[in-house]
Each structure stands twice: as C-alpha cells, then as structure tokens.
Amino acid sequence: MSQSLDKLEEIISDEQFQSWYFNTDAEKGRMWEDRRRRGLVDPALVAEAIELMDQFRLKESGPSDAEVLAAEQGLWNEIATLEANTEIAGETVLIPWFKRPLRVAAAVILLAGAGWLANLYFNPSVSTFKTSYGELKQNLLPDGSVVTLNGNSSVRYQHTNLVHRNRELWMEGEGYFEVTQQPNKAKFTVHLGNLDVVVTGTSFNIYNRPHKTEVLLTTGAVTIHSPSTGDSLHLVPGEQALISDGKLVKKTGNISQVTGWKQRTFIFENTSLEEVAQSVEVLYGIKVRLEGDTTSKRTISAILPADNLDIFLQSLEATQEFCVKKQGNDVLIGPARP
C-alpha cells in the first residue's frame, strides 16, 4: 500500500497503523514503519493520532450493554448535528480535525467498536493533586487553569475527551482557582459535596473543610448551586457564598483576609479562638484544645505567620493574651497567666 495519508481520521482507521500501535501484527507494523520512513504520512498527524489513542486506551472493566448503546446513540446524534451545521449558504465548509472532535470519534468507532467508545464516554481519565499538612503548592491543569492548594487539600480533575468537553473537578480543603476561559466557552465546575461552583473564566477562593464551606469570588463571575436545596445564586467580585442553617446565602467577603494563606499568613479580624483552632487543626493535622469556656468565645485580630506551626504558636503567645502549651501533636491554648 503506497497511498499518502493526510487526515487524522485516515491514520486512526488505517489497518497498518492499528497493527503497529497495538502491536498485533509484526509484518503490518513493519509496513507502517516503512511508510513513515518514506514520508507517506505527516509526522505531526501521526503524533496527534498517538496522543489521541493514548488518552483513550481501553480500560479493564467494560461498560454494560445499556451504556454501550447510550454512548453510541449519543455520539451519532451529535455527529448528525455537526454535519448539518457544516453547510452554510449551500456550500460545504471544511472544518479542521481539531474543530471536528466528533468526526474523529467516528473514525475511532470504526477502529474499536461501540464498547471501546462507551469506555471513553462513561470513564474519562482523572488526575488528582494533593498537598500534605502545612504544604502550599501550585498546580497547572491541562486546560491552562491554575489551582493553588493550601495544606491538607486535594482536587480531582476529570480530563475532557471527545464527548465530555466541559471541565469538572472535585475538591476538599482550601484552594485558589484561576480559570482560563476556553474558545468554546466550556464550563468549569467545582463540586464541593453540598455546593457546585460553575464558571467559564474567573478567579475565586474555596474553603471546603468539615466545619465550613465557603466560596469567595475575586474576579469575574460565578454561579453557586446547592444540589441539596436546588437553590442558586450569582456572585460578583468581593461576594462570598456559604451554607447557613441549611440555606444558601451570600455576604460581603474580605478578599485580603480570606486569601492571606497564599502569602503564608493567617489574617484574623475579630475571629473567635474556636474558629482559629479549627483552621490550625485542619491545616497542620494536630489537635487543639481550648482551656475554659470563655477562651473559645474570645476573639482575635492579628496577622500571624502560617508557614510554620511552632512560629505561629509562639506568635500567638506573644500577643500576651494566651498561654500556649504544645506536646507532640496536642496543643493547649488557655488564657494568659497573670
């Protein structure tokens, strides 16, 4: 076979390429290598084909028959819609392969069948980013967005594919998101268990710990949705959303105070010592005990270091309002001794 291949679909569905990629027929694989050496295939397209195949390798556990049928039917419906939209004023418009993901998917169907496609549809790959106690780390997502995680936090990112084109994440802990807007306006959704944050391109801070969940918008606009209550609200920069008494509410937030952790500082403004203790516990994985009922109700207004637990405790004691004792992973905070 000596014809030239100049389309991604042709490469993916080529029998010799399949044999070479899956290593199922040595002779046909050698024939493919020979065609590449003779310049009969575009190296850039070959690299794209390999990247596509690597992304959607068949997983060990297969989908059900119903999932297979649903995935196949959904794909062909979208292909039909795309084909209908490629004729303008009676003329057929040629669309580059990277703007025709469903046409590429059609070639993949020819290659691997509906069962393989269903795995793509129902099982997109997921990446997880984590930080340990006290760690602060910046992570670049595949779409160009940036997530900076505070200590003891994690985010799972579901990779987009031929069918799942919207961006979805699941987060626990605290993080600051700088979302890159996509040309196709693909949504960027962060799931927090009891809240969903939906954006296209913006930046915001999320605090999602066992004792509290809050979202503060710094730029752009977001929609906050509560799956449990069905309520939704929109935020503008400087507004904060949270669940209070089972209801989704918003309030004015203090951006510098909420995002102070990015500069490795705690910024407390009339903050109860009980809330201070909760923040320190989840960040450093320790147990903080407050001595006496009045201690937990006391408030503190101060800027304290957050990059080192021992220095934080020394700074807290230096206010001369509290007495701090640390033994292993246990910290006792009480009123200052006269």
Side-chain angles (χ1 to χ4, degrees):
M1 186 179 296
S2 61
Q3 74 268 25
S4 176
L5 300 179
D6 57 4
K7 295 180 180 179
L8 182 65
E9 296 97 323
E10 292 177 354
I11 293 176
I12 291 176
S13 58
D14 186 88
E15 184 179 4
Q16 291 178 6
F17 170 77
Q18 297 171 25
S19 299
W20 172 82
Y21 181 84
F22 290 108
N23 196 27
T24 54
D25 189 314
E27 180 59 28
K28 290 180 179 178
R30 283 192 294 270
M31 294 172 66
W32 172 257
E33 287 286 0
D34 181 64
R35 292 165 70 187
R36 293 180 64 186
R37 283 194 299 269
R38 289 189 288 145
L40 296 179
V41 289
D42 185 337
L45 285 179
V46 172
E48 290 163 359
I50 294 172
E51 182 180 359
L52 180 67
M53 298 293 286
D54 287 344
Q55 184 178 1
F56 301 122
R57 288 300 296 268
L58 179 62
K59 297 184 178 181
E60 293 182 2
S61 58
S64 67
D65 292 341
E67 291 175 331
V68 170
L69 292 175
E72 184 178 10
Q73 186 59 52
L75 180 63
W76 286 117
N77 288 342
E78 292 201 48
I79 291 173
T81 301
L82 182 63
E83 294 290 351
N85 292 335
T86 58
E87 291 191 3
I88 302 176
E91 296 184 1
T92 300
V93 179
L94 298 178
I95 304 176
W97 76 267
F98 54 83
K99 293 184 179 179
R100 297 180 284 127
L102 295 176
R103 286 190 139 186
V104 176
V108 174
I109 289 178
L110 296 177
L111 164 65
W116 191 58
L117 174 65
N119 272 284
L120 309 189
Y121 190 99
F122 291 102
N123 301 301
S125 58
V126 174
S127 294
T128 301
F129 304 98
K130 293 182 178 181
T131 52
S132 57
Y133 290 117
E135 181 183 16
L136 190 151
K137 186 176 181 181
Q138 189 176 84
N139 304 277
L140 179 65
L141 302 181
D143 69 333
S145 300
V146 177
V147 180
T148 304
L149 291 179
N150 203 356
N152 186 26
S153 302
S154 67
V155 62
R156 292 188 295 116
Y157 179 91
Q158 178 176 282
H159 292 263
T160 57
N161 61 23
L162 299 178
V163 178
H164 292 271
R165 283 168 282 180
N166 287 327
R167 301 163 288 174
E168 290 192 80
L169 303 89
W170 291 259
M171 184 190 161
E172 295 181 359
E174 185 169 22
Y176 187 81
F177 290 74
E178 298 169 89
V179 180
T180 300
Q181 185 168 327
Q182 301 295 290
N184 63 355
K185 305 293 184 180
K187 289 193 302 183
F188 187 104
T189 303
V190 185
H191 302 286
L192 306 177
N194 58 348
L195 290 179
D196 291 336
V197 184
V198 184
V199 303
T200 52
T202 184
S203 54
F204 51 95
N205 191 87
I206 289 178
Y207 189 94
N208 184 33
R209 303 289 194 185
H211 62 280
K212 182 174 65 174
T213 297
E214 292 183 342
V215 179
L216 172 74
L217 180 65
T218 56
T219 66
V222 298
T223 298
I224 310 295
H225 175 69
S226 172
S228 60
T229 65
D231 295 332
S232 295
L233 55 81
H234 302 281
L235 298 184
V236 298
E239 290 186 331
Q240 199 168 17
L242 66 152
I243 296 290
S244 178
D245 296 326
K247 295 182 180 180
L248 180 61
V249 299
K250 65 179 175 180
K251 65 179 183 179
T252 301
N254 185 323
I255 294 178
S256 60
Q257 179 182 358
V258 173
T259 62
W261 62 268
K262 294 178 62 185
Q263 284 72 49
R264 296 284 195 170
T265 58
F266 285 117
I267 302 178
F268 301 121
E269 185 176 337
N270 292 321
T271 306
S272 70
L273 199 60
E274 182 178 16
E275 187 173 347
V276 171
Q278 290 173 334
S279 298
V280 174
E281 283 184 334
V282 295
L283 182 62
Y284 288 106
I286 61 173
K287 179 62 179 177
V288 179
R289 293 182 294 115
L290 303 178
E291 186 179 42
D293 294 337
T294 57
T295 301
S296 63
K297 294 180 175 59
R298 294 188 63 180
T299 61
I300 180 174
S301 295
I303 299 176
L304 301 176
D307 55 347
N308 184 288
L309 176 61
D310 290 332
I311 295 177
F312 167 78
L313 296 177
Q314 292 170 14
S315 300
L316 183 63
E317 193 167 35
T319 64
Q320 298 184 343
E321 296 184 37
F322 307 101
C323 177
V324 181
K325 296 180 181 179
K326 180 176 181 291
Q327 185 173 5
N329 286 329
D330 290 324
V331 173
L332 176 64
I333 301 177
R337 306 301 182 191

